[in-house]
Amino acid sequence: MINNDLNTFLLNQGVSEKLLDEVKKFKDFYDLDTSIENRVPILKYKYYGAKTWEKAISAILDGNHILLSGPKATGKNVLSENLAALFGRPLWTISLNVSSDSSSLIGSDTFRNNEVVLKKGPVYQAAEYGGFAVFDEINMAKNESLSVVYSALDFRRVLDVPGYDKLDLHEATRFIGTMNYGYIGTRELNEALVSRFMIVDVPTIVENDLKTILTENFTLKTEYVDLFTKLFLDLQSKSLNSEISSKSVDLRGLFASIGSMKKGLSIYDSLDMGIVDKSFDAYEKEIVGDVIKTLFSPKLKSEDLFER
Ligand SMILES: Nc1ncnc2c1ncn2[C@@H]1O[C@H](COP(=O)(O)OP(=O)(O)OP(=O)(O)O)[C@@H](O)[C@H]1O
Ligand SMILES: [Mg+2]
């Protein structure tokens, strides 16, 4: 998608025109170094969800950093990219894990021309160029390793790198944390960190938006757009009722399954890979498999699903 279409898309979604006007002012006001122009994302997917958009946009306009918190595959990374594209800022994404430390965030010493210099890490570059930096899966990191960015995240807006000059953040710099509650390996974020973000709750997709995404990304016949939507919503409600875990409620998996069907693999085999076998519990697989069988007849072939 051409990023210029994003504005029209958001207006159609119902995002406030006033907010979008302010975004335009922001974009016109802050320059962009040509050397990092290629870091402004070119979007493959649009994020659907007007309320979430409005929360994120207003927080960013007001100078805040945001923490996107929500279940898996709700589009947190898609939204992060969309935000950078909308504001026209370069994006750095840092995947956090237990061994993330200050050098992977800010940078480390390196030798150049017999001199020790800083090899700038993603946080440093985002700070310098007015970029958006995503702390992806922020609750996978150890709390201590993030303390080096506290001063950047609060009103001080400064990176203090031991042994080097301190760096004031470019005015356009914003940090975006993403987190998924309850994934294995996640930690409780400490209050000092959470307090430095505005929290944007990212909900699971609503029926109409899901239908639109399926229609736009696959050449499915309308009746099957409806059926896949029903499949996803049925699994989701079973999970909310604690009949199954959330493992099979996987939009990413559903999209990938439809992709396999498009390549010609059978509907059941495709859904096994993307949905059913995401769970390793025999009883749960059976429930999920039953939901699929009630919606998709065994006689239905993959090629029947798509417009030619
Ligand atoms: N509201 C939405 N708008 C657009 N795409 C969505 C939305 N919700 C889910 N998706 C789709 O879900 C898939 C996963 O998106 P993404 O990787 O951004 O999710 P995530 O929230 O970061 O997941 P995780 O927590 O597992 O990292 C993508 O294919 C994306 O297009
Ligand atoms: Mg993600």
Side-chain angles (χ1 to χ4, degrees):
M1 189 186 58
I2 314 290
N3 290 1
N4 292 338
D5 298 346
L6 201 50
N7 212 59
T8 321
F9 164 74
L10 290 175
L11 284 173
N12 290 339
Q13 285 264 301
V15 173
S16 136
E17 195 169 354
K18 186 168 163 281
L19 275 183
L20 294 173
D21 284 346
E22 287 202 38
V23 171
K24 190 170 179 308
K25 282 188 205 139
F26 180 106
K27 217 173 148 180
D28 293 342
F29 186 78
Y30 293 111
D31 55 344
L32 182 63
D33 194 301
T34 46
S35 66
I36 35 99
E37 262 172 6
N38 62 355
R39 283 207 160 257
V40 182
I42 308 227
L43 296 182
K44 206 166 152 216
Y45 301 107
K46 288 171 280 188
Y47 177 81
Y48 286 82
K51 174 78 140 203
T52 313
W53 265 114
E54 287 192 339
K55 282 184 175 176
I57 292 173
S58 29
I60 289 176
L61 282 172
D62 206 31
N64 297 294
H65 309 293
I66 58 176
L67 179 59
L68 307 177
S69 153
K72 67 158 186 256
T74 43
K76 297 181 291 294
N77 290 92
V78 169
L79 177 58
S80 305
E81 298 221 337
N82 274 234
L83 285 166
L86 180 71
F87 283 86
R89 302 312 304 173
L91 183 72
W92 279 267
T93 299
I94 308 132
S95 290
L96 293 175
N97 55 63
V98 279
S99 51
S100 302
D101 58 8
S102 124
S103 64
S104 56
L105 298 170
I106 295 177
S108 51
D109 290 338
T110 184
F111 266 106
R112 197 176 298 146
N113 304 328
N114 286 328
E115 247 188 297
V116 183
V117 292
L118 180 70
K119 183 171 187 294
K120 296 169 186 174
V123 169
Y124 195 99
Q125 294 183 69
E128 193 170 25
Y129 291 111
F132 285 12
V134 176
F135 293 128
D136 200 21
E137 313 284 359
I138 193 170
N139 54 341
M140 292 276 190
K142 290 200 289 259
N143 273 305
E144 310 84 79
S145 54
L146 291 162
S147 58
V148 296
V149 295
Y150 278 18
S151 62
L153 286 166
D154 62 30
F155 71 96
R156 290 171 279 177
R157 292 184 62 85
V158 64
L159 266 184
D160 206 348
V161 194
Y164 296 91
D165 279 343
K166 65 185 179 59
L167 174 74
D168 289 319
L169 263 56
H170 186 295
E171 278 181 33
T173 301
R174 297 291 185 278
F175 295 99
I176 302 175
T178 79
M179 66 180 278
N180 182 313
Y181 244 88
Y183 256 165
I184 298 162
T186 57
R187 293 149 204 272
E188 225 15 78
L189 288 184
N190 82 24
E191 281 183 41
L193 182 62
V194 175
S195 132
R196 286 168 164 78
F197 291 96
M198 288 292 267
I199 315 297
V200 178
D201 174 67
V202 183
T204 48
I205 194 154
V206 298
E207 181 169 355
N208 266 336
D209 288 345
L210 178 51
K211 285 184 179 169
T212 313
I213 297 184
L214 287 173
T215 309
E216 282 193 350
N217 288 298
F218 304 96
T219 47
L220 285 167
K221 293 177 185 160
T222 320
E223 56 191 302
Y224 299 116
V225 165
D226 294 349
L227 217 52
F228 282 117
T229 303
K230 182 149 179 20
L231 170 62
F232 184 75
L233 296 177
D234 282 359
L235 292 174
Q236 186 167 274
S237 82
K238 282 212 161 15
S239 165
L240 290 173
N241 290 332
S242 305
E243 287 172 58
I244 55 171
S245 72
S246 62
K247 296 196 181 87
S248 295
V249 190
D250 187 346
L251 196 52
R252 194 183 279 125
L254 178 64
F255 290 175
S257 300
I258 301 174
S260 295
M261 295 172 206
K262 200 148 186 199
K263 292 264 177 281
L265 192 70
S266 81
I267 298 174
Y268 289 173
D269 283 345
S270 303
L271 288 173
D272 276 350
M273 287 203 291
I275 298 282
V276 184
D277 293 342
K278 291 275 162 89
S279 163
F280 297 101
D281 176 284
Y283 175 69
E284 188 168 308
K285 280 189 199 197
E286 204 177 307
I287 301 180
V288 175
D290 285 346
V291 175
I292 292 172
K293 279 177 210 136
T294 55
L295 295 173
F296 295 88
S297 145
K299 292 196 201 103
L300 192 62
K301 294 210 157 46
S302 290
E303 66 237 42
D304 304 333
L305 304 174
F306 302 95
E307 309 274 5
R308 339 189 146 248

